[in-house]
Amino acid sequence: ASGGVTPYAFTVSAGILPPGLTLTTNGHLSGLITQPGDFMFMVTATDANGCFGSGIYSLSVPMTPPDLTVVFDQKPRLNGNRRRVTAKLRVANDGAGQATSSALRVYLSTDPALDPNDTLILDRPIPPLGSRTESKLVRLRYTAPLSLKGHYVLFFADADEAIEESDEVNNLVIVRLRR
């Protein structure tokens, strides 16, 4: 504000600020916006003599996408006879947006590439996950007829590719089995 007698007092006189954002009486906007959308509001500045002026503002906050990742609590490992693999992992949403239901698929492979010859060893539905706060615990236990030494386990979050994510590259995690 200018042209009046200081101090000025600022208020939101019409409309609403985006959730999480506040306007201080000295005119500073602060906070972390928590919801996407289009917001229109009027700010009025009043000087020490009660004279005022107003301005209308609009702010568009885009929807931020989710980002599903595989995080290991216990990395894949072979047991003594090298035929059984176990792992404890979480499918986590590291993105800022809500993730809808998805699927985790785990494959056994002789090479580090996902291809039609790989064996599906786990297919698990994943419920909706909140932003940066939620994960789904998954346990893998698989026994093969032959030794798995040197094989690869491929963990594919959002296996149906149904969720548009901020990073589509980090959905596939490949681990070589050793022992």
Side-chain angles (χ1 to χ4, degrees), residues 127-139:
L129 298 173
S131 61
R132 293 193 177 121
T133 57
E134 291 188 30
S135 63
K136 172 66 176 166
L137 177 66
V138 178
R139 294 179 191 272

Side-chain angles (χ1 to χ4, degrees), residues 3 5 7 15 22 24 32 46 57-58 64 72 76-77 98 107 140 158:
V5 177
T22 58
T24 64
L32 179 64
T46 306
Y57 303 92
S58 65
T64 53
F72 292 104
R77 63 181 184 197
Q98 171 86 16
Y107 297 89
L140 170 67
D158 189 24

